[in-house]
Amino acid sequence: MDLSSVDADLLLTIGLAIAIIAIPAAISAFSDSRPPRAATIGILVAGALILLAFYARPGGYTLKTVPEAVARVLARLVNY
């Protein structure tokens, strides 16, 4: 599968944003004794996007490069 045209930084940022929203939703659903259906789907989508970003970027990401990638995406968004 050729992922050379995919923006890995954007995929990573979107995946992290979805995870940031989905994890508290899952905790809230568990604490209210509700099934966390939407949160589960969100966590799965976030995980898939993050894995796709790691697969699309040659060499992958390290803990040091993740904030840099998010900053690049946010800078592009602000300067658009």
Side-chain angles (χ1 to χ4, degrees):
M1 177 166 42
D2 183 31
L3 296 174
S4 60
S5 64
V6 174
D7 186 7
D9 291 347
L10 183 61
L11 290 175
L12 179 68
T13 303
I14 292 171
L16 289 173
I18 293 172
I20 287 170
I21 294 169
I23 291 173
I27 294 169
S28 174
F30 279 123
S31 68
D32 290 341
S33 298
R34 294 181 286 120
R37 291 183 188 109
T40 303
I41 292 170
I43 291 170
L44 289 174
V45 168
L49 287 172
I50 292 169
L51 284 176
L52 185 61
F54 273 84
Y55 182 71
R57 180 174 174 165
Y61 289 97
T62 62
L63 286 178
K64 183 180 178 182
T65 59
V66 170
E68 295 170 0
V70 172
R72 280 192 300 270
V73 170
L74 293 177
R76 254 189 345 218
L77 181 66
V78 170
N79 292 324
Y80 183 67

